[in-house]
Amino acid sequence: MKVVVVMVASLNGKTTDGGLKNIHSWTSKEDADSFAAFLAKQKLIVMGSRTYEAAKKQMRILPGQLRIVLTKSPTKYHKQAISGVLEFHSLSARALVSKYSRLGYKTMALVGGAKTNRSFFASGLVDELRLTLEPYIFGSGEPIVLEGKFREKFSLISKKQINSSGTLELVYRKIAK
């Protein structure tokens, strides 16, 4: 299964502006449109519980699409779960990829956050990074990935400026070891 991390960040790699949880307060309309178009094509979308909590009011549930929220406490969300549509799991990154590969999924879109991203990078499971860079610098905020014991090398495969402010869409592919 191909694992694709999809993130928006400031120029210094922050995915939030300090204490602000809502990324829509600083990201561009062009990024939002591009992200929505990418997600609309995905069959399997994975996020952490903090990302889910921050985004659940804006989430659009689409037919034929499974959204998985990784959490230490899946039972906490049992009333929100919709089997085959919105599921909550405490599986490891490796177990999640293995399970959904066996179920026939070809691509997993990993949409955040930093802790969830770390588990996939640390397991060597990330194949592609789709990163939108917004022309901001934040003094504090969440990083793209939390620190951990891993090192992966990626190669730029495409770049595109998507607005006059200088917002960039970058796509990187992991270089095989």
Side-chain angles (χ1 to χ4, degrees):
M1 173 184 295
K2 180 179 177 181
V3 175
V4 180
V5 172
V6 185
M7 299 294 293
V8 61
S10 65
L11 295 174
N12 61 329
K14 302 295 182 185
T15 61
T16 62
D17 179 4
L20 293 176
K21 301 288 185 212
N22 184 354
I23 65 165
H24 303 288
S25 66
W26 60 271
T27 59
S28 64
K29 178 186 180 320
E30 294 83 4
D31 170 63
D33 292 346
S34 178
F35 182 66
F38 177 80
L39 285 189
K41 297 175 188 171
Q42 304 308 305
K43 302 271 187 235
L44 179 61
I45 300 167
V46 175
M47 67 191 75
S49 59
R50 287 179 56 200
T51 300
Y52 171 72
E53 290 296 341
K56 68 182 175 183
K57 290 179 183 173
Q58 293 89 18
M59 277 179 42
R60 289 186 5 211
I61 303 297
L62 300 173
Q65 202 175 62
L66 172 58
R67 289 183 186 254
I68 295 174
V69 179
L70 294 176
T71 175
K72 290 180 184 174
S73 307
T75 56
K76 173 182 168 183
Y77 297 97
H78 75 277
K79 290 183 179 179
Q80 296 172 50
I82 305 166
S83 183
V85 177
L86 178 62
E87 298 180 359
F88 299 84
H89 294 289
S90 59
L91 297 170
S92 70
R94 193 166 300 287
L96 194 72
V97 168
S98 177
K99 176 180 179 172
Y100 288 94
S101 289
R102 283 192 313 273
L103 292 173
Y105 288 92
K106 304 288 184 221
T107 302
M108 176 185 291
L110 188 60
V111 297
K115 184 177 176 183
T116 300
N117 289 346
R118 175 183 59 195
S119 66
F120 282 81
F121 277 105
S123 297
L125 296 171
V126 177
D127 300 297
E128 190 173 290
L129 173 62
R130 300 179 69 88
L131 180 63
T132 300
L133 285 180
E134 294 282 5
Y136 287 93
I137 298 286
F138 300 138
S140 65
E142 290 291 318
I144 295 168
V145 60
L146 289 180
E147 291 183 14
K149 294 189 177 201
F150 55 89
R151 182 180 181 170
E152 299 284 350
K153 186 167 183 176
F154 288 78
S155 177
L156 182 66
I157 59 171
S158 74
K159 60 185 175 204
K160 179 178 164 185
Q161 184 171 333
I162 61 172
N163 63 26
S164 61
S165 297
T167 301
L168 300 175
E169 281 186 340
L170 307 169
V171 180
Y172 292 89
R173 185 170 295 136
K174 183 165 117 177
I175 296 173
K177 294 179 181 179

